[in-house]
Amino acid sequence: MARAGLTADRLTQAAADLADEVGFENVTVSALARHFGVKDASLYSHIRNAQDLRVRLAVLALAELADRVSEAIAGRSGKDALVAFANAYRTYAREHPGRYSATQMALDPDIAADSAAGKHSEMTRALLRGYDLWEPDQTDAVRLLHSTFHGYVSLERSGAFHSHPRGVEASWLRALDALDSLLRAWPPG
Amino acid sequence: MARAGLTADRLTQAAADLADEVGFENVTVSALARHFGVKDASLYSHIRNAQDLRVRLAVLALAELADRVSEAIAGRSGKDALVAFANAYRTYAREHPGRYSATQMALDPDIAADSAAGKHSEMTRALLRGYDLWEPDQTDAVRLLHSTFHGYVSLERSGAFHSHPRGVEASWLRALDALDSLLRAWPPG
DNA sequence: TAGGCTTACCTAGAGGTCCTAGGCAAATCA
DNA sequence: TGATTTGCCTAGGACCTCTAGGTAAGCCTA
């Protein structure tokens, strides 16, 4: 019998694609095994368990997202960078709903440290260099921006904005305007 | 054999408590049946299926959260109301993590309309009466506030803020300052 | 190129969750 | 008190997770 040539990385990649197709919560070991035409038990040579698979998926997605954002803000600053960052973030979430869900998993602190999670706040911090903010305001602003981006795409996806006719796209652009003006006039402590 | 006296409402209440204990994703029909000392199959006289149970839980949590917020902002306006709203929201999410997770489910539009989901944006809109905002800025601001609140508690819970020593509480208060000043100086379209 | 070693994938099977069909008995009502 | 409703039951199928132990494919070395 020919071998399927499984590796942890190939499984993680396939799981990511599967997540985007059927939703993160529907990524199962069985479904993944079916995709490769092997038995469920065969996967357990490559991954520890189902949770391990999901964590690998989360780490993959965090790295991909960090790359996208990093590319988007390269060579930009100020509002230009803010908009590029935010759009890259939102676009990734829309194009890869399953992968994006994965990024919201609570990871073990040491796994999170190894992953690209840290790179995200670094990049947000880099973004803020175009504004006149210093610690601890900078950290507060990083948290506020991150929260708003995540909250927006999360609520947009859950349908929370569909109850009102105002276009979600237009609201998003105005939100970015608002954040830009907030960063330029950050209230004194 | 004495009956357990199950009803859809009692099941939903118990499911909500269970969610807060073990996490929303671990609320299963089996676990709920165990809690009442009955067989799994018995629950299907009261709920259609597992998904139906989760939707009921979401509707319950949305209503509870709306009540909390509504009580918090009663008789307040401006920044006072903003802070009360935000703290009620965050406190509910921290005290009832499982219930809060439930509120983030994507609901059918008609179920969402029946539920307290609409009350949330109404309340946010009421909040904004203390500021000088008119349509469509008002809707944009409602979405921004909602996003930020949700994003903040969501990220706080996933541990995304733990990598930095700056206190999460202090950042939160500063975020509210920032939002207040943003609403008072909303950039013109 | 034949032997041995590593390892990819297998079968078998236990335990859990979801859900349906059909049955009995408790509660309620006439 | 007899009839109806309904709450909870048993039985069982489908799917998912994961372990133990086995077979054979592919690689390394002599």
Side-chain angles (χ1 to χ4, degrees):
Chain A
M1 183 107 48
R3 298 193 181 187
L6 304 183
T7 63
D9 282 352
R10 283 195 66 198
L11 288 176
T12 308
Q13 275 290 343
D17 294 341
L18 186 61
D20 286 337
E21 275 171 42
V22 301
F24 179 59
E25 68 284 0
N26 295 319
V27 173
T28 68
V29 176
S30 300
L32 200 54
R34 268 195 300 280
H35 174 263
F36 282 103
V38 300
K39 299 293 173 183
D40 312 10
S42 305
L43 303 200
Y44 290 88
S45 316
H46 305 282
I47 55 168
R48 270 209 311 286
N49 50 40
Q51 181 65 7
D52 177 44
L53 177 66
R54 291 186 199 107
V55 169
R56 285 169 189 269
L57 207 175
V59 170
L60 169 77
L62 281 168
E64 280 183 7
L65 178 55
D67 281 352
R68 291 270 199 114
V69 169
S70 156
E71 202 173 321
I73 62 174
R76 299 178 198 269
S77 70
K79 185 175 181 186
D80 222 30
L82 174 71
V83 170
F85 187 119
N87 282 331
Y89 192 95
R90 179 161 172 257
T91 300
Y92 184 80
R94 289 155 71 96
E95 287 177 0
H96 298 291
R99 281 167 159 91
Y100 184 73
S101 290
T103 66
Q104 298 309 314
M105 277 190 67
L107 295 179
D108 271 331
D110 42 340
I111 294 178
D114 281 359
S115 81
K119 190 172 174 188
H120 286 252
S121 29
E122 262 175 53
M123 289 187 304
T124 317
R125 216 168 281 275
L127 175 71
L128 291 181
R129 281 197 209 105
Y131 299 92
D132 201 28
L133 285 173
W134 309 98
E135 289 296 6
D137 291 344
Q138 207 177 71
T139 295
D140 295 343
V142 165
R143 289 173 173 172
L144 180 63
L145 286 182
H146 193 179
S147 295
T148 306
F149 296 161
H150 167 53
Y152 206 96
V153 303
S154 170
L155 291 178
E156 180 179 4
R157 207 161 41 142
S158 78
F161 296 157
H162 297 357
S163 55
H164 194 278
R166 167 73 168 165
V168 176
E169 197 65 31
S171 273
W172 169 252
L173 294 175
R174 293 288 285 131
L176 296 183
D177 285 346
L179 289 175
D180 172 64
S181 87
L182 174 59
L183 292 174
R184 279 192 280 101
W186 190 262
Chain B
M1 183 104 47
R3 298 193 182 186
L6 305 182
T7 63
D9 282 351
R10 283 194 67 198
L11 287 177
T12 307
Q13 275 289 343
D17 294 341
L18 186 61
D20 286 337
E21 274 170 43
V22 303
F24 179 59
E25 68 284 359
N26 294 318
V27 173
T28 66
V29 176
S30 301
L32 200 53
R34 270 195 299 279
H35 174 263
F36 283 101
V38 301
K39 299 293 173 183
D40 311 12
S42 305
L43 303 199
Y44 290 88
S45 318
H46 306 282
I47 55 168
R48 270 209 311 284
N49 50 39
Q51 182 63 8
D52 177 44
L53 177 65
R54 291 186 200 107
V55 169
R56 285 169 188 270
L57 207 174
V59 171
L60 170 77
L62 281 168
E64 281 184 4
L65 178 54
D67 281 352
R68 290 269 200 115
V69 169
S70 156
E71 201 173 321
I73 62 174
R76 300 177 197 271
S77 70
K79 185 174 180 187
D80 222 29
L82 175 71
V83 170
F85 187 119
N87 282 329
Y89 192 95
R90 179 160 172 256
T91 300
Y92 184 80
R94 289 155 70 96
E95 287 176 1
H96 298 291
R99 281 167 159 90
Y100 184 74
S101 291
T103 66
Q104 298 309 315
M105 277 189 67
L107 295 178
D108 271 331
D110 43 340
I111 294 178
D114 281 359
S115 80
K119 190 173 173 187
H120 286 251
S121 29
E122 263 176 51
M123 287 188 303
T124 317
R125 217 168 280 275
L127 175 71
L128 291 181
R129 280 195 211 107
Y131 298 92
D132 202 27
L133 285 173
W134 310 98
E135 289 297 2
D137 291 345
Q138 207 176 71
T139 295
D140 296 342
V142 165
R143 289 173 172 170
L144 180 63
L145 285 181
H146 193 179
S147 295
T148 306
F149 296 161
H150 167 52
Y152 205 95
V153 303
S154 171
L155 292 178
E156 179 179 4
R157 206 162 40 144
S158 77
F161 295 157
H162 297 357
S163 55
H164 195 278
R166 167 73 167 165
V168 176
E169 196 66 30
S171 273
W172 169 251
L173 294 176
R174 294 288 285 133
L176 296 184
D177 285 347
L179 289 174
D180 172 63
S181 86
L182 173 61
L183 292 174
R184 279 192 278 103
W186 190 262

